[in-house]
């Protein structure tokens, strides 16, 4: 069994940087654009909503993971607007978010995943989103998880962060992540956006297996109001 060791919680994980900024998508001026970036390509796994009305960011990220066989370098997330039920324009907007993030970080667009959460049925204000991506890319920091966690919130009352350091086989490693979600909670990827990073050396296939097993007993087994997500 992994041995948990004591260390100050600093919300840092080797090889990852985070940012959260306000771009004006939310009328109250709260943070609404977040980026996670890795120093290099990393094994990546994801589970998505099974809603047949999956939003554009879900479709774009699914395709990217299939194309790259479970590898990525960045995730761009916005809150305040779900970019769901927005037709072909929504698909183009999601791909623009990917393109602008890739350009800002100097990486290939196929290495970028995208997620959105918020109001359904409205186009993203892309001028604000693109400006926010530029600011977020310049704000990336190893200790920026709290800002990222705030930037993905919608109706949540506060940020939700988990952080664990363990020792396995004499090697210390970190697992940490954050999530959002307070309503539209139903099985088949309960309506949340959740992001977990680790500096453990694990391949994409093993990561997918572990994530699927964890999801079956958690996100796919809880319900609050019976509404299944379009975006998560």
């Amino acid at each position: 069994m992994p041995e948990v060791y004591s260390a100050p919680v600093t919300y840092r994980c080797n090889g990852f940087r985070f940012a959260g900024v306000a771009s004006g998508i939310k009328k109250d001026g709260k943070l609404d654009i977040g980026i996670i970036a890795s120093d290099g390509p990393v094994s990546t796994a994801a589970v998505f909503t099974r809603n047949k009305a999956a939003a554009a960011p879900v479709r774009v990220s699914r395709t990217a993971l299939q194309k790259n066989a479970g590898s990525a370098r960045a995730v761009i997330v916005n809150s305040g607007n779900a970019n769901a039920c927005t037709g072909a324009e929504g698909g183009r907007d999601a791909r623009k978010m990917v393109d602008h993030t890739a350009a800002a970080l100097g990486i290939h667009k196929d290495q970028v995943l995208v997620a959105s959460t918020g109001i359904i049925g409205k186009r993203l204000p892309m001028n604000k989103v693109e400006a926010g991506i530029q600011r977020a890319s310049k704000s990336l920091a190893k200790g920026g998880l709290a800002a990222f966690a705030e930037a993905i919130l919608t109706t949540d009352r506060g940020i939700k962060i988990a952080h664990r350091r363990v020792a396995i086989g004499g090697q210390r490693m970190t697992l940490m992540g954050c999530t959002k979600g307070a309503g539209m909670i139903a099985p088949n990827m309960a309506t949340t956006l959740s992001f977990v990073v680790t500096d453990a050396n694990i391949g994409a296939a093993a990561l997918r297996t572990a994530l699927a097993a964890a999801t079956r007993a958690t996100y796919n087994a809880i319900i609050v109001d019976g509404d299944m997500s379009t975006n998560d």
Side-chain angles (χ1 to χ4, degrees):
M1 294 294 291
E3 176 188 353
V4 178
Y5 66 92
S6 60
V9 176
T10 56
Y11 301 132
R12 294 175 184 241
C13 185
N14 293 331
F16 292 92
R17 295 172 295 145
F18 310 84
V21 302
S23 71
I25 300 173
K26 291 178 178 176
K27 294 180 180 179
D28 57 10
K30 292 183 178 180
L31 305 189
D32 53 24
I33 291 282
I35 295 178
I36 300 176
S38 63
D39 293 343
V42 293
S43 298
T44 307
V47 290
F48 299 99
T49 180
R50 296 176 185 173
N51 195 325
K52 292 182 180 179
V58 170
R59 299 195 301 270
V60 170
S61 292
R62 278 175 176 163
T63 300
L65 278 178
Q66 292 168 356
K67 190 172 184 178
N68 284 322
S71 175
R73 285 198 60 180
V75 181
I76 174 66
V77 187
N78 79 271
S79 60
N81 185 311
N83 191 13
C85 303
T86 47
E89 293 89 351
R92 286 192 288 269
D93 290 343
R95 289 188 290 274
K96 284 181 181 178
M97 289 180 66
V98 167
D99 292 344
H100 281 278
T101 302
L105 299 179
I107 61 178
H108 196 280
K109 64 182 181 180
D110 289 344
Q111 290 284 298
V112 180
L113 306 181
V114 58
S116 299
T117 183
I119 297 171
I120 292 174
K122 293 183 65 176
R123 289 282 304 279
L124 281 166
M126 289 305 296
N127 58 330
K128 295 179 180 179
V129 171
E130 291 165 10
I133 289 172
Q134 290 298 319
R135 288 198 299 276
S137 67
K138 296 175 182 177
S139 302
L140 287 164
K142 292 181 179 179
L145 179 63
F148 175 86
E150 182 178 344
I152 67 175
L153 301 180
T154 49
T155 57
D156 307 72
R157 298 182 67 179
I159 63 174
K160 306 176 181 72
I161 291 177
H163 181 277
R164 185 82 175 263
R165 289 178 175 172
V166 300
I168 301 177
Q171 292 187 329
R172 291 180 173 181
M173 55 198 70
T174 299
L175 294 92
M176 71 180 194
C178 61
T179 188
K180 61 79 54 180
M184 287 186 73
I185 305 297
N188 295 324
M189 190 54 194
T191 308
T192 60
L193 292 182
S194 299
F195 304 91
V196 178
V197 299
T198 181
D199 53 12
N201 184 12
I202 180 171
L207 201 59
R208 286 194 298 271
T209 299
L211 179 61
T215 303
R216 280 194 297 271
T218 55
Y219 288 116
N220 285 353
I222 58 177
I223 187 167
V224 172
D225 48 18
D227 295 323
M228 188 188 298
S229 170
T230 55
N231 283 68
D232 306 325

